Every structure is written in C-alpha cells, then in structure tokens.
Amino acid sequence: MSPFINNPPYPNNYGSEFLVIDRGEGCYLFDKKGNKYLDFGSGIAVNALGYGREDLAKTTYDQMLKLVHISNLYATEPAVELAKKLVSTGDFAAVHFGNSGTEANEAAFKYARAYSQRVKGEGNYKILSFSNAFHGRTFGTMSATPKEKYKAPFYPLVPGFETTTFNNVDELKKVLNGSFAAVIIEPLQGEGGLESVTKEFCETLQNICVAENILIISDEVQTGLGRTGELYGYQTFGLKPDIITLSKPLAGGLPLSATLIPSKVNDVIHVGEHGTTFGGGPVTTAVALKVLDIINNRDFLNNVKALSKYFKNGLQQIVNSCDNAIGVKGEGLLLGLQLKSEDLVPQIMTKCRENGLLVLRTGTDTLRFAPPLNITTQDIQVGLDILKKVL
Ligand code: PLP
C-alpha cells in the first residue's frame, strides 16, 4: 500500500499527489504505512506545541460537551477571558476574533480604513504593503500581496492598495504620505524568503506613520506567538505597530484568528460594522487560552531562542560543508537554508521526505523550517543530519 493518494477530488489549485498523514506524536508524524517523519513544517507554522497533546484534547472535549457554538450575539467565558489576556499583551483595547490569517488581515484593513476616513477625512483610505509580502488569498489581502502568481487570474482586485520595496528607505519616503490609512508589514517575511525588516526601515516607517497618523499593522500570522523567540515578531525587530494580526498557532491547530486594535481605532467603530458567525467560538478560544499560557512565558520564549541558536549553528555548518547550500536565514524557529539554485528546492524537499524529514519552501530558492516550538536539540540534530546527508 502506498502512503500517497493521487487525484483526490480536490480542486486543481492543490496539485495531484499527497502524502496521507495518519497521526502525530510530539514533533513526529506517521503515514498510514507507519513511516515516521520529523516535522520541520508544523502544518505551515501552526502546530507550535507539537502533536498528540492530551491537555489540548481534553480542553476541546470538555468545552464541546459544554457548548460548541453560540455566535457573537452572546458572549462566552473562554472568549472574553482570551480577549482580556490578548489585549494585556500590548497597547491594545479590543480583539476581533476570526478563523484564519486572511480574515484577521481583512478585519485590520476594515478597521484601518474606517479609522482613517473618520479621523483624517474621506479619501485617506490607501494601504501600503511591501515587495515579497504574503497576507492571504481573499480579495483584500490578495490586493496587499504583490506577487502576481497569487493573483494573476483574479483581477480586478480591491482599489487603494499600493506596494513599495521592502527595506528600501528612500522609496518609502517618496511613496508614503497622509493619504494612506495603514501600512501592513511582516517583521520577518514568512512566505516571501525570510527577509527581516531592518532597524533603519522600522525607524523611518515609524516616523512617517506617527507624523501622518498612519496605522502600522504588523501581520503576525506566521511570526506571532513565540515563533521568533519573543511573544510577537515585532518585539524581535523593534517595530511599534498599532494593530497586530494573529492566527496560525493561536488555537493549537484549530482555526482561530485575532485582530488586536488600540483604543483610538476602537473608539470610532460602530455596532454592526464588522462581524463573523464562527470567529471566537468557545472551543477554539478555550484551547487558545491554554496555548497562550504555555507560550507567553519567559522560560518558554528563552528556550525558543536557545533552540534557534543551536539550529542556526547547525545550518551554518551545513553551509560551510555543502556546496549546494549558500546561506542561513530567519529568526527564532522560523529559519531557512538558501540553496544554490531554485531548481534544487523540490528535489531536496522530496529527498528529505524520503529520508524522514518534512520541510517547507519560502521565496524561490530557500528551504523553510518551522518546527514545533517545544522541539528538543536532539530532534533538531536528527533533522540537521538528514539535511546534511541529502545535500
Ligand atoms: N499572513 C501571513 C504572514 C501568512 O503567512 C499567511 C499564511 O501563510 C496568511 C497571512 C494567511 O493566513 P491563512 O492562510 O490562514 O488565511
């Protein structure tokens, strides 16, 4: 029996051949044949606490028996408690819950446009994003995602979105002015090649945004909740956002997102201007409370930093000894290995899988590693040894 399935009735945007995963345990996944894989992908940076967690399963089970869904016409204790905990992590006043990263960003755009047009005047609605950014696949977030491959057949997109070059201070000074409602930025570009925002770029961005009352949205969908070794990626890179968006790891693998807004924005929003049926249900928020308690802990975050150091050293040694690997990228446990050519990436990924290691891709020529944040140095070394052998 092959552990692969071909041509399941999925739309063609998903390709045709899939490894069928059956279960997970810690940092390992198992296919139907019992083959074991070390997971350096975490379901695309989602499974921050690993697989097979009895604590999260029990919370889910208990809450499902109590109440699964009630809509935003009512409040539930887990949702209110999570909202309070999230706003206390920074200068935030309120949280809009949704179900996915793209929804979190769409909500941010809506809040930013409403704020800007009510405070600065109609017409000040533009949103700036940066080259190689990825913010999602719905129409608003696609409009803020410059790569044509994500949007070519879907035009026309949403008007009022512009893009400038990431980390180019001179261009930023020319483009950004008071007609913009917001800037959306990933402090470390997860899909676009693992470039980090520079200190100089952060400072310039900050200065213009403060002077022109432009909101900074930090898209923390991939970098948030411990991934960079701080609770949020913006803390690692010294950015000071007004709004942040979270999703992937928030509810331990269940779908949940959060858009955190400051009081000046919340103060101009009126009842009924945004909403969702499922977002912030009692099950996902109950699990997220556990996840947040585990991750928002200095020892846990310091351990991510220590693991990152170990991982980066190992990757650097591979660069020193393998001609096909040319550079180490990323921060925390969102790391990359840049290869000599982009044609090597699919080959190396396949070979890694055949040797029991699952990895991701970022940009064009880089392997991406986003293991569970509670991985051990021993397991990191297992993965490094496979990578070295394959390369
Ligand atoms: N923003 C960033 C930085 C992402 O990495 C992603 C997904 O990879 C998204 C937004 C979109 O999230 P989702 O796929 O949950 O809509």
Side-chain angles (χ1 to χ4, degrees):
M1 191 183 71
S2 163
F4 287 88
I5 185 169
N6 286 298
N7 302 312
Y10 292 168
N12 287 334
N13 48 289
Y14 285 117
S16 57
E17 189 190 54
F18 298 85
L19 177 64
V20 183
I21 301 291
D22 188 46
R23 68 186 181 87
E25 212 179 290
C27 296
Y28 287 87
L29 289 166
F30 298 84
D31 67 26
K32 265 282 186 220
K33 275 186 81 180
N35 295 316
K36 184 177 174 184
Y37 305 88
L38 177 58
D39 184 17
F40 274 8
S42 303
I44 319 188
V46 168
N47 302 308
L49 301 179
Y51 300 98
R53 304 246 348 173
E54 288 198 10
D55 52 351
L56 303 187
K58 186 171 183 323
T59 302
T60 307
Y61 176 85
D62 290 347
Q63 185 57 51
M64 283 193 82
L65 281 181
K66 236 175 133 183
L67 183 70
V68 178
H69 173 80
I70 198 63
S71 89
N72 286 306
L73 296 175
Y74 306 93
T76 65
E77 274 180 7
V80 172
E81 207 185 319
L82 180 65
K84 283 183 182 164
K85 281 206 172 156
L86 284 172
V87 297
S88 75
T89 60
D91 209 358
F92 306 112
V95 185
H96 169 76
F97 290 121
N99 309 281
S100 61
T102 198
E103 280 175 79
N105 288 336
E106 293 284 353
F109 297 156
K110 288 177 76 174
Y111 289 130
R113 279 191 166 178
Y115 170 79
S116 181
Q117 299 205 92
R118 283 180 180 150
V119 172
K120 295 200 293 185
E122 235 169 85
N124 296 307
Y125 55 72
K126 288 197 285 185
I127 291 169
L128 187 70
S129 64
F130 298 108
S131 52
N132 294 324
F134 182 81
H135 298 296
R137 292 174 180 275
T138 49
F139 271 90
T141 57
M142 234 187 341
S143 307
T145 294
K147 271 235 164 77
E148 274 307 306
K149 75 167 183 178
Y150 295 115
K151 53 189 189 179
F154 304 120
Y155 284 89
L157 304 185
V158 181
F161 283 79
E162 291 184 19
T163 296
T164 185
T165 310
F166 191 54
N167 282 335
N168 185 322
V169 170
D170 293 337
E171 241 186 68
L172 184 69
K173 284 183 186 159
K174 277 190 206 133
V175 170
L176 192 56
N177 59 50
S179 67
F180 282 83
V183 172
I184 182 161
I185 181 166
E186 294 163 89
L188 168 61
Q189 295 186 318
E191 302 296 311
L194 294 178
E195 291 303 326
S196 306
V197 68
T198 63
K199 201 161 170 273
E200 193 195 359
F201 195 73
C202 279
E203 275 167 16
T204 308
L205 183 63
Q206 214 78 53
N207 289 341
I208 302 173
C209 288
V210 168
E212 301 290 346
N213 199 5
I214 300 163
L215 297 167
I216 299 179
I217 304 166
S218 186
D219 179 341
E220 299 276 350
V221 168
Q222 192 153 163
T223 51
L225 299 163
R227 184 59 56 196
T228 66
E230 295 292 343
L231 185 60
Y232 300 127
Y234 74 77
Q235 296 165 315
T236 297
F237 299 99
L239 191 69
K240 288 195 209 81
D242 303 281
I243 296 178
I244 67 168
T245 58
L246 304 170
S247 184
K248 290 175 177 290
L250 183 56
L254 297 176
L256 177 67
S257 66
T259 305
L260 279 64
I261 59 174
S263 56
K264 70 174 183 181
V265 173
N266 198 32
D267 288 348
V268 302
I269 301 298
H270 307 147
V271 170
E273 286 181 334
H274 194 46
T276 163
T277 296
F278 285 111
V283 178
T284 52
T285 50
V287 176
L289 275 169
K290 298 265 173 209
V291 172
L292 188 62
D293 275 352
I294 295 168
I295 292 178
N296 192 14
N297 170 295
R298 202 63 258 170
D299 289 342
F300 185 93
L301 295 170
N302 285 343
N303 190 47
V304 172
K305 286 185 189 167
L307 292 167
S308 174
K309 203 168 164 205
Y310 185 90
F311 205 149
K312 271 188 174 175
N313 278 339
L315 290 173
Q316 192 54 53
Q317 281 171 27
I318 291 177
V319 170
N320 297 344
S321 62
C322 302
D323 288 346
N324 283 331
I326 60 170
V328 180
K329 301 181 91 173
E331 277 304 324
L333 288 177
L334 186 53
L335 296 174
L337 191 63
Q338 193 173 10
L339 303 184
K340 207 159 91 183
S341 98
E342 67 180 80
D343 299 340
L344 282 169
V345 176
Q347 293 173 49
I348 301 288
M349 289 176 76
T350 303
K351 285 277 171 215
C352 281
R353 193 192 63 221
E354 287 168 2
N355 282 274
L357 176 68
L358 301 182
V359 300
L360 302 166
R361 183 179 194 161
T362 178
T364 52
D365 58 359
T366 302
L367 299 173
R368 175 174 34 149
F369 315 115
L373 302 180
N374 56 359
I375 194 170
T376 59
T377 50
Q378 288 85 342
D379 282 331
I380 290 174
Q381 193 56 52
V382 170
L384 288 168
D385 290 344
I386 295 173
L387 263 175
K388 190 165 179 187
K389 178 178 148 195
V390 164
L391 277 156

